[in-house]
């Protein structure tokens, strides 16, 4: 028999436990490095689901917020951007100007 007691507190604990791994940030930093080597000072990225329609309105998931916080700690400026045309384009902009 399985335990059928799973409370909202249990769910909140699971959400709080979600932390971006070093690979989440490393994936974006690799793209930053490539962009910087091309002389660019900003990166438009969809990595780690930053192109998700769930971001329309600017509310990142807990894991995405942690990735943004870590990038900011490293000195980057970050912003969730969107452009509305026939379809909505959403991305994370990382800059180092």
């Amino acid at each position: 028999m399985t335990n059928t007691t799973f409370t909202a507190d249990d769910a909140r604990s699971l959400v709080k436990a979600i932390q971006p791994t070093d690979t989440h940030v490393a994936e974006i930093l690799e793209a930053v490095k490539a962009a910087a080597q091309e002389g660019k000072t900003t990166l438009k990225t969809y990595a780690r689901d930053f192109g998700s329609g769930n971001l329309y309105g600017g509310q990142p998931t807990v894991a995405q917020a942690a990735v943004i916080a870590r990038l900011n700690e490293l000195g980057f400026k970050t912003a969730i951007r969107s452009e509305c045309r026939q379809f909505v384009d959403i991305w994370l902009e990382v800059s180092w100007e």
Side-chain angles (χ1 to χ4, degrees):
M1 184 170 183
T2 61
N3 182 357
T4 58
T5 305
F6 186 77
T7 67
D9 286 336
D10 295 333
R12 281 188 284 274
S13 294
L14 285 175
V15 170
K16 287 179 184 175
I18 297 172
Q19 297 295 320
T21 63
D22 289 339
T23 58
H24 289 90
V25 174
E27 178 181 351
I28 294 172
L29 291 177
E30 282 297 317
V32 165
K33 181 179 178 182
Q37 288 172 334
E38 294 174 7
K40 297 177 182 176
T41 58
T42 61
L43 172 73
K44 178 179 182 177
T45 183
Y46 302 97
R48 308 319 316 165
D49 210 23
F50 279 105
S52 170
N54 295 333
L55 283 173
Y56 191 67
Q59 296 301 315
T61 65
V62 172
Q64 290 169 330
V67 168
I68 289 169
R70 181 64 183 134
L71 290 169
N72 291 337
E73 286 173 11
L74 294 171
F76 295 99
K77 292 181 182 174
T78 58
I80 296 172
R81 303 275 189 215
S82 65
E83 184 174 49
C84 299
R85 295 188 181 190
Q86 182 176 1
F87 299 99
V88 177
D89 187 19
I90 302 170
W91 67 91
L92 176 67
E93 182 177 273
V94 182
S95 63
W96 53 94
E97 268 189 307

